[in-house]
Amino acid sequence: MSARHCELVAGTGGLELTDLGARNGVFVGDARVKHATLSGGGSTFVVGRTTIIVHSRDSVEEPSEDAALPGVIGSSAPMRRVAREVRRHARTRAAVLFQGESGTGKDVFARAIHELSGRQGPYLPVNVGAISESLADGELFGYRRGAFTGAVTAHAGAFEQAHRGTLFLDEIAELSPSVQVKLLRVVEDGMVRPVGGSQATRVDVRLVSASWAPLHERVAQGRFRMDLFHRLSVATIALPPLRARRGDIPALACDLLARMRPELGPRRLSSGALARLVSHDWPGNVRELSSALYRAAVASDSADILGEHVQLGNQRTHGPRATRLTVERAAELVRQHSGNISAAAAAAGIARSTFRAWLSSSKEG
């Protein structure tokens, strides 16, 4: 920032912001401005490499000293709320369900719960949405040698592998009805019976699951068992999308660029680049932010990433409207790849879970 960068004056219509001729300028949204009036509804502006968010006095929370979670970056009010909930439930045995859009960091929060839980066993993440129905039993509950063609050795399932630790089941909404029945039995009695086995094994597992789709809606539609839903959602934690915590974007961007440093070298964001990042809606959340930063870092021939290097996608790619805009293209990609959702999502250049969300929303709508 410059020594005299900008002037802020409280006016009747909001906060009056005036650029005092600073070299780096003042940005509101992704536009450089000389003067602007900001309301208290979460308006943002960038001065130098600092992002400032304007709130009304009643909406501001005092930051707590223990707000940060292991591996989690963000100190905004929504993140402090999530941190409090995670810490509240971490030491209990309650099954936790994370709900949130694709790319909101469900695995990161699940890991944080495990690290804070004090459990001595491993943390094991399993994307159940990526497991075919025919293989789900063996992957989750294990199998004995000779249980089926190709089972030349015994295999410990995810529940046995996570004994005394934490098992994270991502995309839980994608489980087939038959696997839901078997999962319910394990959750209720803590006993796992491998495929082809005659005896059940008791396991001590803390269960954390996640879904991009609202599970209560799936229950109402008859697509997810109500009894299993209640078992998995003893504690439900909603994760905020990145657009709801814009104040965390600068810190997240710095962390992501630091991770890219071994490959791309040191990079830093200019005021214009930071303003573009903060003003974007990020329908793909942190995953999309990481991709945008990588492209920008590659596009820059120096250590400085300028606004022109930040190439962003369509702002309106989340929610029902996005589904209507993309469903025809999505359906065509599925046909081109013989019904293979993963291959179609890869061809579209988006996360598999997001692609499935678009298709499911379009069918339900």
Side-chain angles (χ1 to χ4, degrees):
M1 295 175 60
S2 301
R4 297 182 71 254
H5 202 109
C6 63
E7 181 183 56
L8 297 171
V9 178
T12 56
L15 194 64
E16 302 294 331
L17 171 66
T18 303
D19 180 7
L20 297 179
R23 183 167 58 89
N24 289 329
V26 175
F27 291 81
V28 176
D30 61 356
R32 185 167 181 168
V33 300
K34 289 295 184 182
H35 182 82
T37 302
L38 306 173
S39 68
S43 300
T44 62
F45 65 96
V46 174
V47 289
R49 292 189 175 90
T50 300
T51 300
I52 300 173
I53 302 178
V54 181
H55 293 286
S56 61
R57 179 170 14 185
D58 294 338
S59 67
V60 177
E61 297 181 25
E62 290 296 327
S64 57
E65 295 180 357
D66 61 348
L69 294 173
V72 177
I73 295 176
S75 58
S76 61
M79 292 295 280
R80 295 200 299 273
R81 185 262 305 166
V82 172
R84 286 194 296 270
E85 293 186 49
V86 166
R87 290 185 180 279
R88 184 178 301 125
H89 297 294
R91 288 277 180 175
T92 71
R93 295 182 58 85
V96 175
L97 172 66
F98 285 111
Q99 294 264 198
E101 297 177 8
S102 176
T104 49
K106 303 179 193 72
D107 177 63
V108 175
F109 286 99
R111 287 178 185 273
I113 280 188
H114 175 69
E115 292 190 28
L116 294 171
S117 69
R119 298 184 68 84
Q120 300 302 308
Y123 169 79
L124 182 65
V126 177
N127 187 335
V128 295
I131 305 174
S132 66
E133 183 176 357
S134 60
L135 298 177
D137 282 2
E139 291 298 317
L140 292 176
F141 314 123
Y143 53 80
R144 294 291 180 251
R145 179 180 178 183
F148 51 84
T149 302
V152 295
T153 61
H155 171 72
F159 276 89
E160 288 187 78
Q161 294 178 47
H163 181 57
R164 300 186 65 192
T166 303
L167 177 59
F168 173 53
L169 300 180
D170 198 7
E171 293 192 31
I172 195 72
E174 304 308 315
L175 279 179
S176 67
S178 63
V179 179
Q180 289 180 35
V181 173
K182 296 169 184 175
L183 178 59
L184 175 63
R185 185 186 67 241
V186 175
V187 173
E188 287 184 331
D189 61 22
M191 303 293 290
V192 174
R193 178 169 294 170
V195 178
S198 58
Q199 293 185 341
T201 302
R202 181 169 295 280
V203 291
D204 173 16
V205 172
R206 169 70 178 279
L207 200 59
V208 178
S209 53
S211 173
W212 55 264
L215 278 190
H216 64 278
E217 293 183 6
R218 292 294 181 95
V219 171
Q221 297 160 1
R223 300 168 62 186
F224 201 86
R225 293 183 63 96
M226 180 181 294
D227 44 10
L228 179 58
F229 167 69
H230 288 303
R231 288 287 187 178
L232 297 178
S233 60
V234 176
T236 300
I237 301 177
L239 298 183
L242 192 54
R243 60 186 173 276
R245 55 184 190 103
R246 297 180 191 273
D248 295 328
I249 291 176
L252 277 168
C254 289
D255 179 73
L256 292 168
L257 287 174
R259 298 183 191 184
M260 300 172 192
R261 183 169 184 165
E263 178 186 357
L264 303 177
R267 291 290 191 275
R268 61 187 179 189
L269 295 165
S270 68
S271 299
L274 184 57
R276 294 210 67 193
L277 296 179
V278 173
S279 65
H280 189 58
D281 271 357
W282 302 111
N285 295 292
V286 179
R287 190 177 291 118
E288 182 189 0
L289 173 62
S290 179
S291 297
L293 286 169
Y294 186 90
R295 291 193 300 269
V298 171
S300 175
D301 294 328
S302 68
D304 291 312
I305 296 177
L306 307 179
E308 63 196 52
H309 298 139
V310 180
Q311 300 301 314
L312 302 172
N314 188 349
Q315 291 274 47
R316 300 180 182 273
T317 51
H318 57 270
R321 181 173 180 181
T323 303
R324 293 194 292 270
L325 291 173
T326 61
V327 62
E328 293 182 2
R329 174 58 177 161
E332 177 61 26
L333 286 171
V334 172
R335 286 193 292 270
Q336 291 175 4
H337 292 85
S338 304
N340 188 316
I341 299 294
S342 296
I350 62 175
R352 179 180 181 277
S353 56
T354 301
F355 193 86
R356 292 184 68 97
W358 288 354
L359 290 180
S360 296
S361 298
S362 65
K363 293 175 182 176
E364 294 162 12

